């Protein structure tokens, strides 16, 4: 279990909420595909049909990033 805190908008201002994230245990299929749970995508703010970039971030680690965010980071910082 991974926990963290986020600030959320509330009708009387900002409030802090505790977020509990359960890692999703996934399996790579015979065709090399992985299906991500919709809840995980929603938690990351990724929409169904949205364009994302996937890249390796070292041994055993893959990063998914919104395409627009990745291009913005590339233009502003020269790196993903």
């Amino acid at each position: 279990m991974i926990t963290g805190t986020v600030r959320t908008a509330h009708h009387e201002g900002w409030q802090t909420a505790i977020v509990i994230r359960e890692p999703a245990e996934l399996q790579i299929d015979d065709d090399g595909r992985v299906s991500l749970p919709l809840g995980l995508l929603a938690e990351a703010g990724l929409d169904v049909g949205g364009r994302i970039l996937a890249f390796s971030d070292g041994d055993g680690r893959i990063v998914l990033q919104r395409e627009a965010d990745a291009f913005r980071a590339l233009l502003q910082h020269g790196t993903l």
Side-chain angles (χ1 to χ4, degrees):
M1 178 183 337
I2 301 168
T3 61
T5 58
V6 293
R7 294 191 63 188
T8 59
H10 189 263
H11 71 281
E12 296 175 4
W14 288 94
Q15 69 181 25
T16 301
I18 295 176
V19 177
I20 299 174
R21 297 183 178 131
E22 292 286 338
E25 194 171 315
L26 308 172
Q27 185 170 350
I28 302 168
D29 71 15
D30 293 336
D31 294 322
R33 296 183 202 153
V34 175
S35 294
L36 300 174
L38 188 56
L40 185 63
L41 295 172
E43 185 178 300
L46 300 172
D47 297 321
V48 173
R51 298 196 46 93
I52 59 172
L53 263 166
F55 57 92
S56 172
D57 191 28
D59 189 30
R61 186 175 172 94
I62 296 173
V63 174
L64 302 177
Q65 188 173 19
R66 243 182 248 107
E67 186 179 72
D69 294 346
F71 288 142
R72 187 176 307 111
L74 189 59
L75 290 172
Q76 291 176 349
H77 308 291
T79 184
L80 297 175

